[in-house]
Each structure stands twice: as structure tokens, then as C-alpha cells.
Amino acid sequence: MPDCGPIGVFDSGYGGLTILDGIRRRLPMYDYLYLGDNARAPYGTRSFEVVYQFTLQAVRSLFTRGCRLVILGCNTASAKALRTIQQRDLPQIDQTRRVLGVIRPTVEAVGSVSRTGHIGVFGTPGTIRSRSYDMEIAKLYPDFVTVGVECPMWVPLVENREADGPGADYFVRKYVDIMLGADRQIDTVLLGCTHYPLLLPKIRAAVPDHIRIVRQGEIVGESLADYLCRHPEMDARCSRGGSCRYFTTENSDKFAEMASAFLSRPVTASTITL
Ligand code: DGL
């Protein structure tokens, strides 16, 4: 096996494509391998143990395909599986490989955005109930107040291509009202799920103008650029060819159709089993 390989980006399904897009815009020179576990998505309502097992299988699969560095481009997997994989599994699998998540870089970015220190987080039930955002925000900014709102209907709306439809208006308004009702001082809202940027026009229209909405794609791209700068040994293990291959655990034609809609460009994909 060559001593360098593509950067792996993993998500339960299509949502991580918004993270991949942000990373590739910032770091177009590397090779990438995207894996969506579409056959078993959504992860957002699954138990800790199941999300951990599924994510570990995906990480192992990306390692087998040559990745030295894997980004969990999924908040639910980052919340429920990242720490265990980093602390328990990686030392046994291969000490030179790394797995990174999306929650920490997102939280790092809010410090320079919020003035009131009141942060709203929209996420899947799994992410919100894990309290990962609350804990990370409290670690970095002990004076901040965090309000997490679970949005169980937003991923299904996006997955079913209803993000632009009138049904989405109702469910966007519903969760925004819950958040604003809980804390009127919120001035920064994190879209803590990779699917939610697809609902951004409706979320933007539903929240007051002074509230900043933080999306993850650009932040994760910037954070990864910084990481590779600080870790030249890992940078050397990431191959540079500007390519991107897409893998899914579901039907490849179905994935290609949806992924093309997410990315606004044609995508071809291959089916794999985990
Ligand atoms: N991509 C997942 C996340 O960012 C949401 C989709 C799912 O529930 O599987 O949390």
C-alpha cells in the first residue's frame, strides 16, 4: 500500500456532502473519498451503541481503501462515536491514522461570532441529547449559554426532497419558535446537522435578521487546513490529485441522483457493503 492516500469523509447519508463541499473548496488539491451509509441512515434517532458500531465499520472501510485521515462529516457520529474511536480503537488499529469530527471546529468558530454569548443549536435528537455541543461550548466559553433544539423532521424533509416545499415552512417555523421561546438573547445559531444547510433559505427567513447563522462546511474546511498545517506528517500522508470518489451502502444510481442535487453537479457513485 502506498504511504499516502485520500482524505475520507464519512456521513450517515447525503448531508456530509455539504461538509465535503466546504473542505474541497478550501483544499481542492487533495484526493477525497466520500462514504455515505445511506442504507442505514438516518443515524439521528439511533442509540449510542449502534451509531458507534456503524461509524467504526465505516472508518475501518475508509482505512482499508487507503485513507490515513478520516473526517466524520456527521454531527451525530461525531457526538456519539468520535471520542471512543479516537481513544479506544485507533491505538489498536493504527497509531498513525487519525479520525476528526465536526463539533469541535464548529464550536471554536462561535467565539468570534456571538456578542451576547447566547448560542442556539439545531440538531438531530441524537446530537442534542448527547449534549456534545453544550459540553464543548462550556469548555471553551464557560460564560456562554447554550440552547439545543432537536429537529427530528428536518432530515426527513431534506432526504425526501421537500426542503423547498410548503411542509418545510411549518417545521422550520416550529423549531425556530421553540428556540426563540427558550431564550430571546440568542444572537448566534449553529446548524448542527449536515443536512440543515439545504433548509437555510427557510431558516434564514424564520429567524430575526440580527441572528447570525453558522454553517459548518466552510468552518470545517478552514479547520482542516489549519490541522494539516500544524501536522505536516499527516499532510504528507494525504495524496494530492484533486480527485473525489463517492461510495454508498445504498443503490449507487439513487445516491448519484441525490448527491448531484446536493452538490449541484453530476456525481457517479459505487455501492459497497460495510
Ligand atoms: N448527517 C447527520 C448529522 O449531521 C444527520 C442525518 C442522520 O440523522 O443520519 O447529524
Side-chain angles (χ1 to χ4, degrees):
M1 194 182 264
D3 55 12
C4 66
I7 297 173
V9 178
F10 167 68
D11 184 48
S12 55
Y14 303 108
L17 292 166
T18 60
I19 301 292
L20 175 73
D21 197 41
I23 294 174
R24 288 192 78 202
R25 278 176 199 274
R26 178 63 181 82
L27 300 165
M29 60 290 220
Y30 296 105
D31 294 311
Y32 294 91
L33 216 161
Y34 183 86
L35 170 57
D37 188 10
N38 300 79
R40 302 188 294 193
Y43 281 14
T45 45
R46 292 190 186 273
S47 69
F48 181 96
E49 188 56 28
V50 168
V51 172
Y52 161 65
Q53 289 297 345
F54 286 2
T55 305
L56 182 58
Q57 288 168 0
V59 166
R60 285 184 183 278
S61 172
L62 286 165
F63 282 170
T64 304
R65 287 174 168 76
C67 299
R68 305 302 200 274
L69 174 62
V70 171
I71 311 298
L72 300 185
C74 173
N75 289 271
T76 310
S78 297
K80 293 189 163 187
L82 178 64
R83 186 180 297 254
T84 314
I85 290 175
Q86 283 176 333
Q87 293 179 355
R88 200 168 73 191
D89 300 300
L90 269 184
Q92 288 166 22
I93 298 171
D94 183 342
Q95 307 239 19
T96 68
R97 305 201 192 217
R98 288 288 175 271
V99 180
L100 306 174
V102 290
I103 292 178
R104 179 77 183 203
T106 309
V107 167
E108 280 170 1
V110 299
S112 56
V113 177
S114 177
R115 292 200 177 149
T116 63
H118 288 244
I119 312 293
V121 183
F122 289 121
T124 64
T127 298
I128 298 302
R129 287 181 204 180
S130 75
R131 302 191 66 81
S132 296
Y133 271 100
D134 311 52
M135 289 187 286
E136 284 297 329
I137 290 172
K139 259 191 247 164
L140 288 188
Y141 318 107
D143 297 334
F144 278 25
V145 175
T146 307
V147 174
V149 173
E150 29 185 283
C151 312
M153 290 303 292
W154 284 6
V155 168
L157 283 166
V158 172
E159 292 277 335
N160 289 293
R161 302 182 85 160
E162 288 289 342
D164 297 326
D169 289 314
Y170 171 81
F171 284 107
V172 166
R173 170 55 64 193
K174 176 174 176 168
Y175 302 138
V176 167
D177 285 349
I178 292 172
M179 180 175 285
L180 298 180
D183 185 346
R184 285 275 155 198
Q185 292 188 69
I186 289 171
D187 72 344
T188 305
V189 166
L190 301 184
L191 300 187
C193 171
T194 53
H195 281 64
Y196 298 172
L198 277 293
L199 288 161
L200 184 62
K202 290 191 189 296
I203 300 170
R204 184 65 275 173
V207 302
D209 289 345
H210 71 277
I211 293 182
R212 298 277 300 273
I213 299 176
V214 176
R215 285 190 289 168
Q216 296 182 298
E218 282 165 35
I219 291 170
V220 175
E222 203 50 54
S223 165
L224 181 58
D226 178 58
Y227 174 85
L228 291 171
C229 226
R230 288 185 288 107
H231 295 86
E233 76 294 347
M234 181 51 80
D235 185 54
R237 291 190 198 109
C238 298
S239 59
R240 292 164 182 253
S243 71
C244 187
R245 288 184 294 152
Y246 299 87
F247 293 96
T248 175
T249 53
E250 245 284 358
N251 177 283
S252 56
D253 290 337
K254 190 174 157 194
F255 178 89
E257 190 191 333
M258 274 295 279
S260 304
F262 260 75
L263 294 172
S264 307
R265 64 172 173 272
V267 161
T268 53
S270 309
T271 301
I272 59 168
T273 47
L274 295 179

